[in-house]
Amino acid sequence: MSGATVYILLFRGVGGATQLPTARLREKLAEAGFENAGTYINSGNAYLKTDMPRGEMLKIVAEICKREFGFDKPILALSLAEWRKLIRDNPFPEGEKDGRTLHAFALETAPTADRLAKLEELATGRERFKLVGKVLYLHLPDGFGTSKLAVRADKVIGVTATARNWNTVLKLRELAETATK
């Protein structure tokens, strides 16, 4: 697999009633021929290595999830190179001190300017956000749980998205790095 790519998979909407059993997911990804497949915590994170094009890989992963787990929600996939760029492009380095106050939303497409203006209306106090390519960064120094911006951002931006806090972002990079071997 000399031309293989490592992808980080972000499953949208995992948690609460919607679960993806991590051990079985790893097993099914491996059975499908993906190399070095792994998962991270039970909130919809996986990584794998493949020489398949992204679209083909995503189609197979989605089929596995629907057939095996009844999971039929969007899955976003970023290559390890794209993930490293997501980390490098962070416009709020001060948020890295407490990885729970900094979040990266991976977006399927970039939202429109009017959607970003609606987000701006929700930001209060010290809350900030910035769109960089297809990543929306939110820095919420006063916490995620009390933020109207955090709670509503997903719906307001109007595109398929899923967020991870900075601690998870860094851990997924670390784990995906091991899948390159």
Side-chain angles (χ1 to χ4, degrees), residues 43-89:
S43 60
N45 307 292
Y47 53 92
L48 55 79
K49 183 177 179 180
T50 184
D51 56 4
M52 287 181 196
R54 184 187 324 243
E56 184 181 336
M57 175 271 301
L58 273 171
K59 182 179 177 196
I60 291 169
V61 171
E63 288 169 357
I64 290 168
C65 289
K66 186 172 184 173
R67 179 184 70 240
E68 299 291 331
F69 311 111
F71 181 86
D72 194 18
K73 295 183 181 182
I75 305 166
L76 298 174
L78 285 83
S79 70
L80 179 54
E82 291 166 333
W83 200 257
R84 289 175 182 142
K85 183 177 181 345
L86 176 152
I87 292 169
R88 273 194 317 274
D89 288 352

Side-chain angles (χ1 to χ4, degrees), residues 9-16 18-22 25 39-46 71 162-165 168 172:
L9 305 175
L10 306 172
F11 298 83
R12 182 174 158 71
V14 174
T18 303
Q19 295 296 316
L20 276 174
T22 54
L25 177 59
T39 55
Y40 176 63
I41 62 178
N42 197 18
S43 60
N45 307 292
F71 181 86
T162 188
R164 299 298 184 270
N165 73 36
T168 298
L172 285 170

Side-chain angles (χ1 to χ4, degrees), residues 117-172:
K118 288 179 183 178
L119 266 186
E120 192 68 47
E121 293 170 12
L122 294 174
T124 61
R126 302 186 303 154
E127 298 177 337
R128 298 178 299 155
F129 71 89
K130 183 166 184 167
L131 178 68
V132 180
K134 293 193 308 184
V135 180
L136 180 69
Y137 298 87
L138 265 67
H139 183 221
L140 310 164
D142 299 320
F144 191 89
T146 59
S147 170
K148 288 182 184 176
L149 174 61
V151 171
R152 299 196 50 215
D154 192 39
K155 293 202 182 346
V156 170
I157 57 176
V159 299
T160 299
T162 188
R164 299 298 184 270
N165 73 36
W166 206 249
N167 292 334
T168 298
V169 166
L170 296 178
K171 186 63 176 181
L172 285 170

